[in-house]
Amino acid sequence: MDGLLLSLITIATTAVNMLAGVTFVSFICWAAKTGFSIWALYFFMKRFASLGRGESVFGYGVMVCLFSSIVCAVFSYAAYRWLFPDTIVEALDAARGILQQQNSPDEAFDALNMIEDNAPQLACASALIWGSLIGIIFSAILCRPASSFNEISADDGEEEL
């Protein structure tokens, strides 16, 4: 459930970003998504540590992020295939314009056509890989503070007795 909640942060901000286009709103969405996702992951890991099951907080964080990455990857595929297909077309048209100005070889245009044909699959794979890697990194960074939260609260309880 925590992974689904974590993925909803990314899905909501990405949808707003796609609807708004490339503006200052996109930077605000990115900053909100990043900050709130890190905070939510820390919150989920801290809550898991407070249960005191003796299981790895890092492992839990990785599982939450992996599930979130899978949901976000599926959303990326759906977004570029059915929900916002014009986003890819607009971006690649801008890239084609730049390539034409630079008198680029035909292979560059062929590569753009290949990307356009496979954009949803590429977005899905890159979202899965990127989300998983970032999840592992932030789980490693946050596992110590989240775990120590449980140790501090346990130590405080022992001192009062």
Side-chain angles (χ1 to χ4, degrees):
M1 183 66 174
D2 292 342
L4 185 60
L5 292 173
L6 187 62
S7 66
L8 289 177
I9 297 167
T10 300
I11 290 170
T13 55
T14 301
V16 168
N17 191 15
M18 287 181 167
L19 291 172
V22 180
T23 61
F24 184 69
V25 173
S26 63
F27 174 75
I28 298 295
C29 286
W30 174 83
K33 174 183 73 170
T34 303
F36 195 59
S37 294
I38 292 169
W39 175 83
L41 179 62
Y42 176 71
F43 174 79
F44 296 145
M45 292 172 72
K46 184 172 67 169
R47 188 181 65 200
F48 179 78
S50 70
L51 296 175
R53 296 181 182 166
E55 297 176 16
S56 170
V57 176
F58 169 73
Y60 182 74
V62 169
M63 286 189 332
V64 166
C65 290
L66 181 61
F67 182 72
S68 175
S69 297
I70 291 168
V71 172
C72 289
V74 170
F75 172 75
S76 293
Y77 181 84
Y80 291 118
R81 174 66 74 194
W82 299 296
L83 301 175
F84 307 106
D86 295 338
T87 305
I88 293 294
V89 173
E90 291 170 6
L92 292 177
D93 284 346
R96 282 187 188 98
I98 292 170
L99 289 176
Q100 285 176 345
Q101 290 175 352
Q102 296 177 351
N103 295 325
S104 297
D106 289 337
E107 291 83 18
F109 292 99
D110 293 340
L112 284 179
N113 290 334
M114 184 196 72
I115 290 171
E116 186 173 14
D117 293 341
N118 299 307
Q121 296 90 334
L122 293 171
C124 180
S126 64
L128 181 63
I129 292 168
W130 178 251
S132 298
L133 288 175
I134 291 297
I136 290 169
I137 291 168
F138 278 105
S139 293
I141 292 169
L142 297 174
C143 73
R144 184 104 169 138
S147 296
S148 65
F149 172 78
N150 187 35
E151 294 168 5
I152 291 169
S153 62
D155 290 343
D156 289 344
E158 291 174 7
E159 292 175 340
E160 292 177 11
L161 293 176

